[in-house]
Amino acid sequence: SLILGTSITISSNHWIMAWAGLEINTLAILPLIAQSHHPRAIEAATKYFLTQAAASTLMLFSSMTNAWYTGQWDIAQLTHPTSCLILTSAIAMKLGLVPFHFWFPEVLQGSPLTTGLLLSTIMKFPPMTLFYMTSHSLNPTLLTCMAVSSAALGGWMGLNQTQIRKILAFSSIAHLGWMTIIIAYNPKLTLLNFYLYILMTTATFLTLNTIKATKLSTLTTTWTKAPSLNAMLLLTLLSLAGLPPLTGFIPKWLIIQELTKQNMAPMATMISLLSLLGLFFYLRLAYCATITLPPHTTNHMKQWHINKPTNTSIAILTTVSTLLLPI
């Protein structure tokens, strides 16, 4: 159902079809979130359902307003200004952009790591597609404001977290800020940024799933479990932070270049400085994963070395998410 909903949305031309795909998607991911029957998982599923239902309704409302004024149900021809504004807020709710970001860290914290991976990658794909298809008629000022505030809040709120899933949720919000700032000027860069973000996040989540770490305190003891994997996790995290020679630097570089072409150098400077906040908490994750050695203040047992070889997909993903730019 997840694949079906996603493919319906990304291949549709009619607003109603896009809406139907998003609804199928929402309903398909709910059992995956609530599958552990833990109260927190149930709470996360409820929050997710409410926000996504509201966002879908808003999207339907904006497209109906547009159809009412222009008689046009085509996604690419959304022209009425009011419906453009409503659609922007609906998609922001779907993606978790500021100021509609509060549900995302909570939902990610309540769901298991694999579901968290689905939520932060595949579930952002249909709204991103709609964003891409309507990008030419959306309001650039609104998008820029939302983007800068997303980068800011994603950075600031991630600083104080100890739960890895919440840190990854805030990093996702910051990355979405980078994608949104450029969508009105060069949507292809948004897609590039999105694909590379999916790549690096998938690598991170799968690594964390292999070493079964959900808190920073457990991450400090995992270096004995799979030493080479942890070393690669360090590089993947730095790549997510967007440090040069690594993959994550490509989108930042191109986006800053495009923004300066559009005479938006102050915005580019601002969002670059805000990504330093993100760098701080990625460095903290990396520090906990690879650099911290015992004796600890926390009295954890050292974990057993994993004997089975690392999953091939993780190997490929981590390599690609660090070495794409040098290559």
Side-chain angles (χ1 to χ4, degrees):
S1 297
L2 211 59
I3 295 168
L4 173 75
T6 309
S7 41
I8 285 180
T9 303
I10 62 183
S11 58
S12 60
N13 279 318
H14 195 287
W15 275 113
I16 301 285
M17 282 304 281
W19 170 80
L22 287 170
E23 286 294 323
I24 294 172
N25 242 357
T26 306
L27 293 175
I29 195 97
L30 284 175
L32 288 175
I33 301 174
Q35 116 203 77
S36 65
H37 296 299
H38 189 277
R40 180 165 288 162
I42 306 295
E43 183 190 345
T46 314
K47 282 178 179 167
Y48 185 78
F49 173 72
L50 291 173
T51 46
Q52 298 299 316
S56 299
T57 316
L58 265 181
M59 206 198 79
L60 201 57
F61 177 59
S62 85
S63 52
M64 279 176 66
T65 315
N66 187 60
W68 180 262
Y69 278 103
T70 61
Q72 190 54 267
W73 278 103
D74 197 329
I75 292 183
Q77 299 189 21
L78 186 82
T79 45
H80 194 251
T82 318
S83 38
C84 287
L85 290 176
I86 299 173
L87 181 82
T88 310
S89 54
I91 288 181
M93 270 175 96
K94 278 268 172 213
L95 291 171
L97 272 170
V98 173
F100 306 105
H101 62 287
F102 290 103
W103 62 272
F104 190 52
E106 303 288 328
V107 170
L108 216 59
Q109 181 55 37
S111 47
L113 279 168
T114 38
T115 310
L117 168 65
L118 288 177
L119 277 171
S120 47
T121 54
I122 295 180
M123 296 307 286
K124 297 209 184 308
F125 198 54
M128 255 323 178
T129 319
L130 293 176
F131 227 9
Y132 180 80
M133 286 166 76
T134 54
S135 57
H136 52 84
S137 52
L138 299 177
N139 182 352
T141 323
L142 177 67
L143 289 177
T144 309
C145 290
M146 285 171 107
V148 173
S149 50
S150 292
L153 273 166
W156 270 314
M157 293 176 78
L159 292 180
N160 215 4
Q161 304 293 338
T162 54
Q163 300 285 343
I164 297 176
R165 281 168 297 190
K166 274 197 174 160
I167 293 182
L168 285 169
F170 287 119
S171 97
S172 171
I173 293 170
H175 274 276
L176 281 169
W178 277 90
M179 290 172 219
T180 316
I181 198 163
I182 200 68
I183 193 148
Y185 307 104
N186 192 343
K188 287 199 171 58
L189 279 185
T190 301
L191 281 192
L192 173 76
N193 192 345
F194 185 56
Y195 293 144
L196 291 181
Y197 159 76
I198 284 187
L199 205 80
M200 298 180 290
T201 310
T202 311
T204 314
F205 266 109
L206 289 177
T207 308
L208 291 169
N209 194 36
T210 308
I211 56 185
K212 297 280 179 283
T214 53
K215 289 200 296 293
L216 284 179
S217 53
T218 39
L219 196 61
T220 47
T221 59
T222 50
W223 61 276
T224 47
K225 224 175 176 182
S228 50
L229 191 60
N230 261 24
M232 282 310 284
L233 180 62
L234 164 80
L235 288 175
T236 313
L237 285 166
L238 292 182
S239 181
L240 261 175
L243 286 186
L246 303 168
T247 306
F249 183 56
I250 304 175
K252 285 194 170 35
W253 181 17
L254 294 173
I255 285 175
I256 290 171
Q257 194 179 346
E258 182 62 35
L259 284 175
T260 40
K261 275 184 202 159
Q262 300 286 348
N263 294 328
M264 289 174 68
M267 283 301 153
T269 314
M270 211 159 138
I271 202 165
S272 314
L273 287 173
L274 287 170
S275 70
L276 286 176
L277 295 166
L279 174 65
F280 180 80
F281 59 76
Y282 290 123
L283 273 178
R284 207 168 86 201
L285 273 173
Y287 181 81
C288 283
T290 49
I291 309 167
T292 330
L293 290 176
H296 291 296
T297 44
T298 46
N299 45 2
H300 271 300
M301 297 275 287
K302 280 205 195 70
Q303 302 190 22
W304 287 98
H305 195 304
I306 299 179
N307 228 350
K308 54 180 188 291
T310 307
N311 192 334
T312 326
S313 59
I314 299 183
I316 294 169
L317 280 166
T318 44
T319 315
V320 171
S321 61
T322 48
L323 292 179
L324 215 69
L325 179 57
I327 289 171

